[in-house]
Amino acid sequence: MSRDKKAKTTVATVQKRSFWERNEASGGILLKETSKKYAISIFRAILLFGMCFMILQPILNKLSFSFMAEKDLYDTTIIVLPKNWSTLNWKIAAAVMGYQTSLVNTIWVSVLVSVIQVLMCSLVGYGFSRFDFPFKKFWFFCVLLVIVIPPQTISTSLFLHFRFFKFFGATLNLRNSMVPYLLMCFTCMGLKDGLYIFMIRQYFMGFPFELEEAAYVDGCNSFVTFFKIMIPGAKPILTSCFLFSFVWQWTDSFYTELFLGKIKMLSIQVASLGDRFAQYMSNVYGMPTVTTGYTNAVVSTGVLLTLIPLLILYLFAQNLFVESLTASGMKE
């Protein structure tokens, strides 16, 4: 009998033995290892279930409130499913928010800002990873400060700077326009730019130098090498940064309220939805007052209207996003 047949026969014989026989033969080690494996699996399942519940439970509550009629909000017998289904909350929230205009504005602002941020941060991150220049460590320390220091601490300075912007001796008011946004993005001072620079710099640090050296030998300069060699190879991290930037810009209310006062954005509209809801109900439906519960239900509906485009984006981009994060975490 050959060795392979003997090995297969031995495995089959061991498998036919009961668990307790094999455990006794192993001196109790099999029971310990099996118990440890199942305990870890149960703990992991409980942890994942708890995390999913913490994330989904508020959204499910808002979804339930959004389809409730006003009288259902005060019915103690209703826990999740409403007795009187209604889409009136969705219609009111969309009307108060000016949803169609706000959605279009938010999309093009988020896309424009994200593209500029990724482009400029990739240039800066590549420079930090490949070139030596005076005070390099100091400037990178400043990048880390941009990550650590919250933007609210410099809100007064930003407001005064763009409210009384000096341009060739003239004083301009750049607020209520896209100009401050664009200037901050082009100078890598926009929302979360420090984090993007750090991520891209770390990715380029692990990029093989031989590819650049081969490009230099072929006569490419630094810019040609960057755009033709480095950018195509950095698609995973650039994709991650673009998606992060898009989502953060979509939900940002600090910079949006500070600079884009006249441009309707979803984040600002949903933030002020509760205040404008009472006025809308008085003007349209002739209701002098509205209850707090009904206001919260409409605000919950407005939050869902803001989140739905992001959920759709996630459904289409989840594979690309996970792939980009996996690839960006791999070392060459």
Side-chain angles (χ1 to χ4, degrees):
M1 184 181 294
S2 63
R3 291 183 179 180
D4 293 339
K5 291 183 178 181
K6 288 182 179 180
K8 291 180 180 179
T9 303
T10 303
V11 171
T13 303
V14 172
Q15 290 177 346
K16 289 180 181 179
R17 298 165 61 185
S18 67
F19 173 83
W20 297 109
E21 289 177 349
R22 288 184 284 125
N23 179 62
E24 184 179 357
S26 65
I29 296 177
L30 179 61
L31 178 60
K32 292 180 181 178
E33 293 298 323
T34 304
S35 301
K36 181 180 178 181
K37 181 180 70 174
Y38 281 107
I40 293 175
S41 299
I42 293 172
F43 175 77
R44 186 188 299 118
I46 294 174
L47 182 63
L48 291 175
F49 175 80
M51 293 177 63
C52 293
F53 180 78
M54 290 175 60
I55 295 172
L56 295 178
Q57 192 265 343
I59 298 178
L60 294 178
N61 282 345
K62 287 178 170 47
L63 186 62
S64 176
F65 292 152
S66 67
F67 287 104
M68 286 186 182
E70 184 177 6
K71 58 183 178 181
D72 287 354
L73 298 172
Y74 305 101
D75 190 341
T76 56
T77 62
I78 297 176
I79 299 177
V80 177
L81 297 178
K83 291 182 179 179
N84 302 283
W85 291 82
S86 174
T87 58
L88 182 62
N89 295 341
W90 293 84
K91 296 177 182 178
I92 293 175
V96 176
M97 295 172 62
Y99 187 71
Q100 185 174 359
T101 302
S102 301
L103 178 63
V104 173
N105 290 341
T106 305
I107 289 175
W108 76 263
V109 170
S110 299
V111 170
L112 177 62
V113 168
S114 300
V115 170
I116 296 175
Q117 282 185 314
V118 171
L119 176 61
M120 302 310 298
C121 290
S122 60
L123 283 169
V124 176
Y126 177 66
F128 274 115
S129 67
R130 285 297 191 265
F131 301 105
D132 291 323
F133 48 87
F135 305 107
K136 177 180 177 180
K137 293 183 178 180
F138 169 76
W139 294 119
F140 190 68
F141 174 74
C142 293
V143 171
L144 298 181
L145 284 181
V146 173
I147 301 176
V148 175
I149 298 177
Q152 288 78 5
T153 58
I154 58 173
S155 59
T156 303
S157 176
L158 290 174
F159 176 85
L160 294 175
H161 179 72
F162 290 110
R163 173 60 182 84
F164 304 99
F165 189 80
K166 302 294 184 180
F167 185 75
F168 292 105
T171 302
L172 304 176
N173 180 12
L174 299 183
R175 294 186 67 246
N176 299 324
S177 69
M178 279 291 296
V179 177
Y181 251 33
L182 298 179
L183 290 176
M184 294 184 67
C185 291
F186 277 115
T187 55
C188 292
M189 284 298 295
L191 182 64
K192 308 291 185 180
D193 273 345
L195 177 62
Y196 307 144
I197 293 173
F198 178 79
M199 293 173 60
I200 294 172
R201 182 248 187 190
Q202 294 302 113
Y203 185 86
F204 282 142
M205 289 288 289
F207 216 85
F209 288 85
E210 290 77 10
L211 293 176
E212 294 171 273
E213 293 175 354
Y216 293 148
V217 170
D218 291 338
C220 297
N221 56 32
S222 299
F223 281 100
V224 175
T225 302
F226 172 74
F227 285 106
K228 290 190 175 182
I229 303 297
M230 305 302 290
I231 290 296
K235 286 182 179 178
I237 192 64
L238 297 183
T239 302
S240 299
C241 290
F242 176 83
L243 292 175
F244 280 134
S245 176
F246 184 88
V247 172
W248 273 322
Q249 178 57 47
W250 187 278
T251 58
D252 171 65
S253 60
F254 174 73
Y255 284 118
T256 303
E257 190 172 4
L258 188 63
F259 299 132
L260 305 181
K262 293 183 178 180
I263 301 178
K264 288 186 177 181
M265 303 285 287
L266 286 178
S267 58
I268 298 299
Q269 296 300 311
V270 74
S272 60
L273 178 58
D275 298 331
R276 292 182 289 112
F277 170 62
Q279 182 179 359
Y280 175 85
M281 295 299 290
S282 176
N283 296 336
V284 178
Y285 293 94
M287 297 176 60
T289 59
V290 290
T291 60
T292 303
Y294 195 29
T295 302
N296 292 335
V298 174
V299 171
S300 297
T301 308
V303 172
L304 291 177
L305 285 171
T306 305
L307 291 179
I308 285 175
L310 294 181
L311 295 177
I312 295 174
L313 174 66
Y314 172 75
L315 291 176
F316 285 98
Q318 60 174 330
N319 293 333
L320 180 62
F321 182 60
V322 173
E323 180 183 353
S324 66
L325 290 180
T326 304
S328 62
M330 297 173 58
K331 293 185 178 180
E332 299 292 336

